[in-house]
Amino acid sequence: MTAETKTLVVGDMHCKEELVLPRVDAAVEALGAGRVVFCGDYVDEWRSNALTMRDALDFFGDWVRTRRAQGLGVDLVLGNHDAQYLLHEPGPGTHTALYDEVAEALLALGVRAAVTVGTSLVTHAGVTRAWANEFLDLSDGASADEVATQLNALLDDGVRMSLRMLATAGPGRGGYELPGPLWADQGELAFDALPGLDQIVGHTPVESVDLWQVPTEDGLHTSCHLVFCDTLSLRRDLAPLGDGSMLLVEGRSVRAVGGEELGLEPWGPSARDWMETFVLPFLGEGV
């Protein structure tokens, strides 16, 4: 894929693959996208269980393999929920009995710590300056490709300590370490984003795809852009937090794409109907 390939970036799905992926298909067809990038967190929805987790991952795996065989570029970025299965450590909503199944499924699909879209770096939560200074070896003005290469080297290293470096969490997410690429909260990233680098992330729920311009220290110019794409997440009561919009990147142009443009049912009613029809009836109390 070239830097000019039309790319659709999709936020955190959290076991809603069967709902989200037909909407992705509609967007790919309508927009002529040649590539789709997912921002991570494929697992661990509120009230999910082993059955819903397996169904979501099976559906996702079949979709990825089919679409790749058809020539669509498909990239998966690792999320903080996903990383707990690779680490074999419990986290928010982790189904510990599925450690091996989830880890094997995601690794088989070629999940990465980071990818690039045009000149932008795509990670689950974003790279802060403090974290990069501690864990990466970057020259001034490092490109998105250079940063992605070092992040993926940590994932591919095969050493638990390297994966733990990616998974450090700061105070914004209840941790005591530097906010890392899998856990940095929106405010932590905006306050200390790696200078000069455009970044696209999921992780922090937003009402709609949200573009931030981060000023330089003199407050007069824009040093980089941050785009937040987690529009698919649900509240604890399973009510939608966002509008289900996705990000279209074409060259240096980025814009939100909503269901109305694609002729789809609005995300909120669609998510509620799907949960009530295909999920909640199959869950017992306390799951």
Side-chain angles (χ1 to χ4, degrees):
M1 301 294 167
T2 71
E4 300 303 314
T5 299
K6 280 189 180 181
T7 300
L8 191 70
V9 183
V10 182
D12 310 15
M13 290 192 288
H14 286 296
C15 292
K16 298 185 293 297
E17 281 82 347
E18 293 167 288
L19 172 62
V20 173
L21 294 176
R23 299 173 75 90
V24 172
D25 285 331
V28 167
E29 181 176 357
L31 302 169
R35 182 187 182 197
V36 178
V37 174
F38 295 95
C39 289
D41 279 1
Y42 310 101
V43 295
D44 299 345
E45 183 56 271
W46 297 110
R47 299 192 68 188
S48 60
N49 61 18
L51 174 63
T52 57
M53 288 269 288
R54 289 187 176 113
D55 283 349
L57 283 174
D58 287 346
F59 190 89
F60 190 36
D62 289 343
W63 185 92
V64 171
R65 288 185 285 269
T66 298
R67 297 301 265 143
R68 283 175 173 167
Q70 293 170 343
L72 182 70
V74 180
D75 292 293
L76 283 63
V77 169
L78 184 72
N80 62 295
H81 282 263
D82 313 316
Q84 301 306 129
Y85 293 87
L86 273 61
L87 286 164
H88 282 58
E89 293 180 359
T94 306
H95 295 271
T96 57
L98 301 182
Y99 279 150
D100 290 335
E101 288 182 56
V102 173
E104 289 170 9
L106 293 178
L107 291 172
L109 293 175
V111 69
R112 310 305 294 139
V115 300
T116 58
V117 175
T119 59
S120 297
L121 179 75
V122 184
T123 61
H124 180 61
V127 179
T128 65
R129 171 168 27 193
W131 187 91
N133 287 344
E134 180 70 20
F135 295 112
L136 303 181
D137 182 17
L138 298 173
S139 58
D140 290 342
S143 69
D145 285 330
E146 292 171 312
V147 179
T149 295
Q150 293 196 29
L151 293 173
N152 287 323
L154 290 174
L155 178 61
D156 295 338
D157 186 56
V159 175
R160 185 179 186 82
M161 183 178 296
S162 295
L163 186 54
R164 285 290 309 138
M165 292 177 186
L166 294 170
T168 59
R173 288 300 178 111
Y176 302 94
E177 304 167 296
L178 293 173
L182 302 182
W183 276 100
D185 195 62
Q186 185 181 56
E188 292 172 327
L189 178 61
F191 177 75
D192 190 36
L194 189 61
L197 188 68
D198 292 338
Q199 299 194 57
I200 300 170
V201 302
H203 188 55
T204 298
V206 290
E207 291 184 2
S208 187
V209 168
D210 198 5
L211 174 63
W212 289 28
Q213 295 183 334
V214 180
T216 54
E217 292 180 359
D218 61 15
L220 298 177
H221 305 91
T222 297
S223 61
C224 60
H225 295 85
L226 304 177
V227 187
F228 298 90
C229 297
D230 181 8
T231 67
L232 303 169
S233 290
L234 307 179
R235 296 184 177 90
R236 185 184 293 269
D237 64 0
L238 304 182
L241 280 160
D243 63 2
S245 54
M246 295 172 273
L247 179 72
L248 181 67
V249 182
E250 186 174 7
R252 296 191 63 85
S253 172
V254 299
R255 70 178 181 89
V257 178
E260 182 177 357
E261 176 181 345
L262 302 172
L264 299 173
E265 180 184 11
W267 170 250
S270 179
R272 284 191 292 269
D273 290 347
W274 184 80
M275 294 295 292
E276 290 173 1
T277 303
F278 297 103
V279 177
L280 296 182
F282 304 98
L283 300 182
E285 291 299 320
V287 296

